[in-house]
Amino acid sequence: AATGGAVASARVFAEYRGRDGQSFASHHEGARRSRAMASCKVSSSSVRCEDESAPKPLQELYPPIEPYSTSFMKTRDGLHELYIEEVGNPDGKPALFLTAALPMFNPLIRPDPKIYRIILLDQRGAGKSRPNASLEANTTWHLVDDLEQLREHLGIERWHVIYGGSWGSTLALAYAQKFATRVASMVLRGIFLFDHEDMEWLFEHGGASEFFPDKFERYKSIIPQGERGSLINAYYRRLTSDNEKERLQTAAHFVEWEMSISTIRAPDESDLKEELKEPKFILPFARAETHYFVHGGWFERPSQLLDDCKSIEHIPVAIVHGRYDCVCRPRMAWELHKRLPMSTIQFTDTSGHSSMEPNTVDATIRALDYFGGRP
């Protein structure tokens, strides 16, 4: 396992047997032995090696690079134009990268640009897609169909890997379950399954509020006592009202709550305040999230993503989840792992929900590098 990752059962790093016949676990073991042998010094009388148990340096992000192509794709229903970026190697293995939050673009986690043709998409109502912050015809299943249209639009036979974190893990699973033959592997971080308990944990009393009572007090402070029976519904009403001032104030409180509980260490207050001054950031974020949450993600059953795992049991999946994630419950990552025979799971012991915490970056990049080396 990557540095800092805890193993919770013998299934952790279970065998991924592909055409190369090598498992994820044996891949890292072989790499570890190679590094150890490379550090050995041989003389006529002895062999002296460095301590193999010494901590290895954490993997870091690949340097950001500019896209080699940008374009727009009109959705089949004609209601949205979606912004697309292509990054890395135009002849590389196609990798679809899905955002961690519904309206956000351009995930910072990227795979090796020399190996992958990285595809990034602003989802409906998000980023540079048009119209901005629109909730019209904006559901999970619209987005799933958009991803399949994107694959066809770009002439890609099959995604070599799909990466999704948080909401991106939800969308990746929904897409893979509908178009299983079009997905070769997935790396999923911060699992969110749209179970009713997931939503109550995050936005109502008795879940994340138990760990962040001070932040939760501020989150609920703008909602009158009589409406606190369902805070997420109260927020949604205000975020979809005709009162622009109320929409912006509500959006700032909503985004502040989620950002404040996403990392082990509290975010810098001055940085957070600056982020919350940006209407183009906070309004699409808050409107889209509440829109999806009050509708239960448009899933037919609360456990649909778990129940439908049978269709993707053949797909290798690397799951990375922060041990102390208070946004998305670690138990749901474990439940998903148990449903997927070809999955591995790594709980990063010094991480919360954020994709940018060092041990989570390390585990995610290693998984992407591993899949990049597969046929």
Side-chain angles (χ1 to χ4, degrees):
T3 304
V7 293
S9 86
R11 288 191 71 214
V12 175
F13 289 117
E15 298 276 324
Y16 277 170
R17 292 290 179 187
R19 282 171 288 176
D20 59 0
Q22 188 182 36
S23 71
F24 197 5
S26 63
H27 167 80
H28 284 296
E29 177 62 14
R32 185 188 67 78
R33 288 176 178 171
S34 296
R35 287 194 299 269
M37 290 304 295
S39 63
C40 292
K41 295 181 180 179
V42 182
S43 69
S44 59
S45 58
S46 66
V47 177
R48 182 169 58 86
C49 299
E50 294 178 1
D51 181 8
E52 290 186 18
S53 65
K56 302 300 187 294
L58 294 178
Q59 272 280 24
E60 297 181 353
L61 296 172
Y62 286 99
I65 58 174
E66 293 298 314
Y68 64 80
S69 174
T70 62
S71 60
F72 283 87
M73 179 186 76
K74 185 177 283 293
T75 58
R76 290 192 175 110
D77 57 20
L79 297 174
H80 294 261
E81 288 184 291
L82 308 183
Y83 177 74
I84 304 164
E85 282 191 359
E86 298 182 60
V87 183
N89 180 356
D91 299 316
K93 298 173 180 179
L96 175 62
F97 269 55
L98 302 175
T99 56
L102 279 157
M104 297 174 68
F105 173 69
N106 220 351
L108 293 173
I109 293 283
R110 303 276 186 87
D112 188 340
K114 294 178 181 178
I115 294 175
Y116 285 108
R117 177 189 177 189
I118 307 161
I119 309 299
L120 303 131
L121 176 76
D122 275 358
Q123 298 162 27
R124 295 185 180 214
K128 296 180 182 178
S129 289
R130 303 186 289 247
N132 181 258
S134 172
L135 301 180
E136 183 181 8
N138 193 338
T139 73
T140 301
W141 304 111
H142 284 101
L143 302 188
V144 165
D145 289 342
D146 291 343
L147 297 183
E148 180 62 4
Q149 181 187 348
L150 175 67
R151 184 193 63 77
E152 295 172 353
H153 175 73
L154 297 176
I156 292 170
E157 178 66 23
R158 185 170 71 154
W159 300 108
H160 185 80
V161 68
I162 296 180
Y163 166 80
S166 194
W167 156 252
S169 72
T170 311
L171 185 55
L173 286 165
Y175 174 81
Q177 289 173 2
K178 186 171 180 180
F179 298 102
T181 61
R182 301 302 183 182
V183 182
S185 61
M186 292 191 289
V187 177
L188 305 178
R189 178 202 60 79
I191 305 301
F192 190 80
L193 300 176
F194 262 95
D195 182 276
H196 288 165
E197 291 182 7
D198 282 339
M199 292 183 280
E200 290 186 5
W201 166 272
L202 182 53
F203 295 117
E204 307 296 342
H205 298 270
S209 64
E210 297 293 294
F211 295 90
F212 297 90
D214 52 337
K215 307 299 183 184
F216 191 78
E217 189 70 29
R218 179 166 172 76
Y219 162 70
K220 70 179 184 180
S221 66
I222 64 167
I223 306 299
Q225 189 70 39
E227 294 184 62
R228 292 183 184 177
S230 174
L231 290 167
I232 194 67
N233 279 289
Y235 263 90
Y236 183 59
R237 285 192 293 273
R238 285 159 176 77
L239 287 163
T240 54
S241 76
D242 294 329
N243 185 323
E244 182 179 4
K245 183 177 179 180
E246 182 181 52
R247 288 200 307 271
L248 288 172
Q249 180 193 30
T250 305
H253 274 73
F254 184 86
V255 175
E256 181 182 12
W257 162 245
E258 194 162 329
M259 292 182 70
S260 295
I261 67 172
S262 290
T263 54
I264 289 290
R265 292 186 176 182
D268 182 89
E269 288 291 333
S270 59
D271 290 345
L272 182 56
K273 286 179 180 178
E274 288 303 311
E275 295 267 14
L276 297 175
K277 290 178 183 178
E278 291 292 334
K280 289 183 179 180
F281 165 63
I282 63 171
L283 197 56
F285 186 127
R287 278 170 58 87
E289 282 212 3
T290 55
H291 176 63
Y292 274 69
F293 287 128
V294 299
H295 291 99
W298 288 272
F299 292 104
E300 295 177 1
R301 308 176 306 281
S303 59
Q304 182 171 334
L305 288 174
L306 285 178
D307 294 341
D308 291 354
C309 277
K310 290 182 179 179
S311 64
I312 58 170
E313 287 181 343
H314 63 287
I315 298 176
V317 180
I319 301 170
V320 178
H321 204 104
R323 175 71 72 184
Y324 303 104
D325 188 339
C326 283
V327 175
C328 298
R329 297 178 299 158
R331 184 172 72 82
M332 302 314 292
W334 184 249
E335 291 300 320
L336 179 65
H337 171 52
K338 291 194 296 183
R339 301 291 182 101
L340 298 175
M342 295 289 285
S343 72
T344 67
I345 190 165
Q346 184 168 0
F347 288 110
T348 50
D349 274 350
T350 57
S351 301
H353 181 66
S354 172
S355 64
M356 291 295 100
E357 290 174 293
N359 285 86
T360 295
V361 170
D362 174 77
T364 306
I365 294 298
R366 289 183 188 277
L368 290 165
D369 283 352
Y370 169 72
F371 285 131
R374 289 169 57 87

